[in-house]
Amino acid sequence: MVKLVLVFLAVIYSIVSQNHLHVYLIINASLLLIILMNRDNINVVHLCGALLVVYMVEMIIFHNFIVTESDTLSRMAVNTIIFSFHFVVDLVLFILVALRAPFTRGRLAAQGKPYDHVYIYNSEFGLKSLFVVFMLIDLLALVENFIRHLDEFGVSTEIAQFFSSWTIVFYSYIPVKSVLLGITFLLIWSMTTTIGKEKYQAKVKA
């Protein structure tokens, strides 16, 4: 019960605070804790380990190397760098989650160990689907960014000015990403539950 309350408080905090660094620190700490709690479960260890590495690398690169303000680059260029970086990270996360089960099976097979217990969790499928949404938001933000700055592509002033006010995704980006991170946190912790650890069964239409 206490764990459930703490998880939901963390989800609410990630949505309300919109503090990228704090949320990633909480997620990374959670991943490490879940790995320690499930050290004998290779499915959980490999999945959480992959997520932990990517999130830590993303946090280090974004806060040390990604340009968020510049006196020399245009606002379009800065936004392009930010949105492109997030898209690449989300794509890597999607690929890692999608290939986690085959990787684990291959690793165990190479060691001559049984791998019939390796499968895709419900939580894992949920994360993979969520990362598709992450990438969609990144692409929408990127496309809108280009459309909003058509003047930098040589488009006439009249047309460029008409699209310069397209900021729906731009101003929704952080709030939407914060909600998605909250859902990510919830799915990560669902791996410690019975339902989350159940094998994902794709529904077949009759």
Side-chain angles (χ1 to χ4, degrees), residues 58-86 142 145 170 173:
E58 178 189 9
M59 191 168 60
I60 292 170
I61 293 177
F62 186 80
H63 290 281
N64 292 281
F65 302 104
I66 298 299
V67 177
T68 56
E69 296 289 340
S70 176
D71 295 326
T72 56
L73 295 175
S74 67
R75 189 66 250 177
M76 186 202 71
V78 172
N79 288 340
T80 299
I81 292 172
I82 294 172
F83 296 143
S84 297
F85 174 73
H86 284 307
L142 198 56
N145 178 54
F170 179 76
Y173 188 78

Side-chain angles (χ1 to χ4, degrees), residues 84-104:
S84 297
F85 174 73
H86 284 307
F87 175 78
V88 170
V89 171
D90 294 332
L91 177 60
V92 170
L93 286 168
F94 172 79
I95 292 173
L96 285 177
V97 173
L99 298 180
R100 196 284 307 169
F103 169 80
T104 302

Side-chain angles (χ1 to χ4, degrees), residues 136-149:
L136 178 61
I137 299 300
D138 294 329
L139 287 176
L140 286 174
L142 198 56
V143 170
E144 185 192 69
N145 178 54
F146 291 143
I147 293 175
R148 193 169 57 252
H149 297 93

Side-chain angles (χ1 to χ4, degrees), residues 42-43 104-119:
I42 194 169
N43 291 299
T104 302
R105 291 192 197 100
R107 185 175 176 82
L108 289 176
Q111 297 173 352
K113 297 179 180 179
Y115 52 85
D116 55 313
H117 60 292
V118 177
Y119 51 82

Side-chain angles (χ1 to χ4, degrees), residues 175-198:
V176 170
K177 276 297 191 92
S178 296
V179 172
L180 294 178
L181 280 173
I183 298 173
T184 301
F185 186 82
L186 192 60
L187 286 173
I188 286 172
W189 272 102
S190 71
M191 282 188 288
T192 63
T193 66
T194 303
I195 295 177
K197 287 181 179 179
E198 287 180 355

Side-chain angles (χ1 to χ4, degrees), residues 33-44:
L33 182 59
I34 293 172
I35 289 173
L36 293 174
M37 291 168 57
N38 298 270
R39 64 178 69 90
D40 295 326
N41 187 325
I42 194 169
N43 291 299
V44 174

